Amino acid sequence: MSSAVPSAPPQTVGRAPRSARRRMSANRLVFILVTLGLPFAFYTLFVLWPFAQAFIYSLTNWSGFSPNFEFVGLSNYTALLQNATFLKAVRNNLLMAVVIPIVTIALALALATMVTVGGSSTGAVRGLSRSSFYRIVSFFPYTIPAIVIGLVWAQMFDPSSGLINGLLTAVGLDQFRSFAWLGEVSTAMPATMFVIIWGFVGFYMVLFIAAIKGIPAELYDAARVDGAGRLRMTFMVTIPMVRDTIQTAYVYLGILALDAFVYMAALNPSGGPQNSTLTMTQDLFNTAFKKGQFGMASAMGVVLAVMTLLFAAIVFVVIRAIKGKDNR
């Protein structure tokens, strides 16, 4: 008579025990909360909530120094559309957002191309000799704080004792004796944009050098074999390969141009002759702290934020459209 031996319960192959799966789910949840939830909480607290507060205050007549205020709806935005000073500041910012990125990127890309691939036209593709020295010299202005750059150039543009007028009159250009570069409507904005471009062209030159270094040398060799000159290689090889870097640089420079408060406060704190260099941030500052109209200033800040987002979106759309056309 044989005795039956009880068989062990069947086990599912490849499946972890339920307790282990629970531990994995809990660990995954903690990981998601730490890596995504915590940064999003900080972003909401320090970015989204202040922007929401600014929008709420823009609908009030808050003076900034009183606990009492009234909701006035969209009247602040309506008043901005009829404010000639603010509209002038908007035009100035838009002009800077067009000119400063284009000129800075063009100069930085030209200098970066010369340093990296602008050497001998025979043999291996290489840049100029002593390129490290050029990088250090060009990057130096970016290490100086913006307020210092603005104050130094304001002294150089001084009509009576400035270095610019002194050099021009020394070479025989007497019409620039006591010429007020920042005091003339025709030259105040160009001189201001020159200072901003001077301060940033070196940084973006180094940025483009790093991007160009990542381009395979075989592409330049092939273009040279096909008889392409330096200018053609720049447009056919360099620019298409560093287009993403150019896009990033344009967005950052455009955001800078839509702000530029530090440079303007150092060069022309009053907004220049006939408000020719007045920016939205300067008008916002004056409205809030000199006029005590924080509700109106908050409306200006909201308009500036919307313009910045629209600028970035337009740049991305244009770059994507160019990419799509090239891929056809």
Side-chain angles (χ1 to χ4, degrees):
M1 185 175 179
S2 60
S3 59
V5 179
S7 59
Q11 294 183 356
T12 303
V13 179
R15 295 189 61 182
R18 183 173 298 177
S19 59
R21 291 201 303 271
R22 289 177 179 174
R23 286 197 300 270
M24 290 176 60
S25 299
N27 292 337
R28 186 176 182 182
L29 179 61
V30 172
F31 176 78
I32 293 175
L33 290 177
V34 172
T35 58
L36 296 180
L38 192 60
F40 181 75
F42 278 105
Y43 183 79
T44 301
L45 179 63
F46 295 108
V47 177
L48 297 182
W49 174 238
F51 183 80
Q53 280 185 311
F55 178 72
I56 294 172
Y57 289 139
S58 71
L59 304 177
T60 69
N61 62 353
W62 186 42
S63 65
F65 303 98
S66 171
N68 302 319
F69 54 82
E70 298 177 357
F71 281 90
V72 295
L74 299 177
S75 60
N76 286 332
Y77 295 95
T78 304
L80 287 180
L81 295 177
Q82 302 172 354
N83 189 331
T85 302
F86 180 74
L87 295 178
K88 176 67 173 178
V90 171
R91 288 193 293 269
N92 291 338
N93 275 115
L94 291 177
L95 176 63
M96 294 170 63
V98 172
V99 175
I100 290 177
I102 291 177
V103 176
T104 304
I105 290 174
L107 289 175
L109 189 59
L111 293 172
T113 302
M114 286 192 296
V115 170
T116 52
V117 296
S120 175
S121 58
T122 60
V125 176
R126 59 182 183 275
L128 299 176
S129 59
R130 296 183 295 275
S131 60
S132 299
F133 172 76
Y134 300 136
R135 293 183 212 175
I136 295 173
V137 172
S138 62
F139 190 79
F140 178 72
Y142 185 74
T143 63
I144 305 174
I147 186 64
V148 176
I149 291 177
L151 294 175
V152 169
W153 277 99
Q155 293 298 318
M156 295 179 67
F157 283 129
D158 187 87
S160 58
S161 59
L163 179 62
I164 303 297
N165 287 345
L167 292 176
L168 292 175
T169 54
V171 297
L173 300 176
D174 294 332
Q175 64 269 28
F176 291 102
R177 190 183 303 274
S178 299
F179 184 80
W181 290 91
L182 299 176
E184 297 288 339
V185 176
S186 59
T187 58
M189 180 58 81
T192 302
M193 290 192 292
F194 167 80
V195 173
I196 298 175
I197 293 170
W198 179 86
F200 280 90
V201 68
F203 170 78
Y204 287 98
M205 170 188 166
V206 174
L207 181 68
F208 289 141
I209 288 174
I212 295 173
K213 288 288 187 180
I215 300 176
E218 292 81 4
L219 296 179
Y220 289 107
D221 294 333
R224 180 179 292 179
V225 170
D226 290 340
R230 300 184 189 278
L231 184 61
R232 187 179 175 186
M233 281 197 298
T234 300
F235 284 97
M236 300 302 295
V237 179
T238 304
I239 293 179
M241 295 299 293
V242 300
R243 186 175 293 155
D244 291 338
T245 306
I246 294 175
Q247 171 185 290
T248 303
Y250 203 106
V251 170
Y252 277 108
L253 284 168
I255 294 174
L256 167 72
L258 290 173
D259 181 7
F261 176 78
V262 177
Y263 292 96
M264 295 303 184
L267 291 167
N268 263 321
S270 62
Q274 300 179 20
N275 292 326
S276 58
T277 64
L278 182 69
T279 61
M280 287 186 286
T281 49
Q282 281 183 294
D283 197 16
L284 187 156
F285 180 86
N286 294 333
T287 302
F289 295 101
K290 293 184 179 181
K291 299 179 182 179
Q293 299 175 359
F294 272 74
M296 182 69 70
S298 298
M300 293 179 179
V302 172
V303 172
L304 177 59
V306 172
M307 287 181 59
T308 303
L309 293 175
L310 287 176
F311 175 84
I314 291 172
V315 172
F316 281 111
V317 169
V318 171
I319 295 295
R320 179 170 295 182
I322 294 175
K323 282 184 178 180
K325 187 180 296 185
D326 291 345
N327 293 333
R328 291 177 184 175

